Amino acid sequence: MVVIHLDLKHNPSSQNAERKLLTVQLTPAIATVIFVLACLSGYQYRRVWKAEGPRWQLWIFGVFTAAALLFLAFTPLQTGT
C-alpha cells in the first residue's frame, strides 16, 4: 500500500499562499515485492545477456530493474508509530 500524505502549510512570505508537500511512503511489504521483482528482472537480464539474446529484451529488463531499484532508493519506508 502506498501512502500519500498531502501537507498544506502556510507560507509566511505571502498572506494567502500555501505550499503543498507531497510525501510518498512505501510499506515494507510493497517494498519487498518491488525488490523481489527487481531481482528477478535482473536475473532475466543476465540470462538474456549471456545467451546473446535480443537487445530489446535487454532494454526492457535493464530499464525495469534500474527504475525499480532507483525508486526503492529514493522512496522512504513507512515506519511504525
Side-chain angles (χ1 to χ4, degrees):
M1 178 174 159
V2 176
V3 177
I4 298 176
H5 174 70
L6 185 59
D7 186 18
L8 299 176
K9 295 184 178 182
H10 179 68
N11 188 351
S13 64
S14 176
Q15 291 288 341
N16 296 325
E18 291 182 349
R19 184 180 69 151
K20 296 179 182 179
L21 179 63
L22 182 64
T23 311
V24 177
Q25 293 181 340
L26 292 175
T27 62
I30 296 296
T32 302
V33 169
I34 293 172
F35 181 74
V36 169
L37 290 175
C39 289
L40 292 174
S41 178
Y43 178 77
Q44 286 297 101
Y45 175 87
R46 184 178 179 275
R47 186 185 61 79
V48 172
W49 175 64
K50 286 193 66 129
E52 296 182 8
R55 286 200 178 256
W56 65 269
Q57 286 184 1
L58 289 174
W59 276 101
I60 289 175
F61 293 128
V63 168
F64 178 78
T65 302
L69 292 176
L70 284 172
F71 181 71
L72 287 175
F74 293 108
T75 307
L77 285 176
Q78 185 180 25
T79 58
T81 50

